[in-house]
Amino acid sequence: MSPAGGGAFYKDYPQTCDPEDYWAQVGRTVNGKSVPQEQIDLIVTAVRAGLEFADDDLFLDLCCGNGALTTHFFRLCRGGLGVDFSAFLIDVANQRFSHRPSEGYLLDDVIDYVRKADAAQAAGFTKALCYGAFQYLDHGPAVEFLSLLRRRFPGLKRLFIGNLPDKERIGNHYRDQPPPPGIADRADTPIGIWRTADEFRALAASTGWQCRISQMPPAFYGAHCRYDALLVPT
């Protein structure tokens, strides 16, 4: 995503965290504390079920952060690439979570990457993930992102976009107070843009994807106001 979006927070914030607290570095916290391993296991299970990894898959993780989540999926296929705009997080990823020559992490804005990726490399990716970050794209960049993935990455069989804020359940997040006016439509906030499942389906359809919405189990810390989307080419 572009540093101009709400995700810009994650460009510098990770450097304020404990160097070994990988989940805090990417904001996977509740009340300021990193979520327990049981929560990460729920994410991994959902992504694995959606992407249906095979040994010969080449995996692309867009907005990969420090690679702590990415590495769970690299091990399920022949390798892949993680892309993120935070130099600090990419340095952590390459030092701690790159285990084979077929795995790597690239410092780049993901919109720029999908625009300019080498055509031969782009064609090789078969599964892709964007977890907890898509909501920081304004409408125009979001359309471009999905359109470019559909057009320039023809080998993609499945694209998982996870942890999307659900506008229909925004009240569950703000609870006893009304949401600030206009907050649901702003990418430059800590949560980003809230979209209903129908709005996301329409966005996916307009860019060449068929979309299936799913919910995390009730035990997941974001289940009360988030959903996941699995996209397949139309």
Side-chain angles (χ1 to χ4, degrees), residues 13-174:
Y13 163 78
Q15 299 176 64
T16 69
C17 301
D18 184 321
E20 301 296 321
D21 194 346
Y22 302 122
W23 302 122
Q25 289 172 12
V26 295
R28 205 139 287 137
T29 60
V30 175
N31 297 325
K33 295 184 179 181
S34 296
V35 299
Q37 185 60 43
E38 291 81 2
Q39 293 292 317
I40 303 304
D41 291 343
L42 289 172
I43 296 172
V44 171
T45 296
V47 175
R48 287 185 64 171
L51 291 182
E52 297 183 354
F53 287 99
D55 291 344
D56 61 346
D57 276 328
L58 192 64
F59 175 59
L60 177 62
D61 192 353
L62 296 160
C63 302
C64 66
N66 57 19
L69 186 61
T70 316
T71 193
H72 288 274
F73 310 119
F74 276 166
R75 68 185 59 163
L76 301 174
C77 50
R78 62 185 174 95
L81 179 69
V83 182
D84 200 273
F85 74 162
S86 167
F88 176 83
L89 291 177
I90 287 296
D91 186 56
V92 173
N94 277 313
Q95 289 189 33
R96 304 296 179 90
F97 297 108
S98 182
H99 303 297
R100 297 175 294 172
S102 60
E103 303 171 3
Y105 297 91
L106 176 69
L107 176 64
D108 205 351
D109 177 287
V110 294
I111 295 288
D112 288 342
Y113 173 74
V114 297
R115 285 173 181 155
K116 69 185 182 185
D118 175 79
Q121 181 190 50
F125 292 111
T126 55
K127 305 288 172 65
L129 172 69
C130 182
Y131 197 90
F134 185 87
Q135 56 265 34
Y136 300 119
L137 296 175
D138 275 314
H139 181 71
V143 169
E144 182 182 14
F145 180 72
L146 293 179
S147 297
L148 286 169
L149 284 172
R150 181 67 182 91
R151 186 173 73 250
R152 299 202 66 242
F153 294 72
L156 283 181
K157 300 174 183 176
R158 289 173 175 251
L159 167 62
F160 191 101
I161 299 183
N163 216 31
L164 291 161
D166 186 353
K167 191 189 295 185
E168 289 187 341
R169 296 185 291 158
I170 192 171
N172 291 347
H173 175 75
Y174 286 97

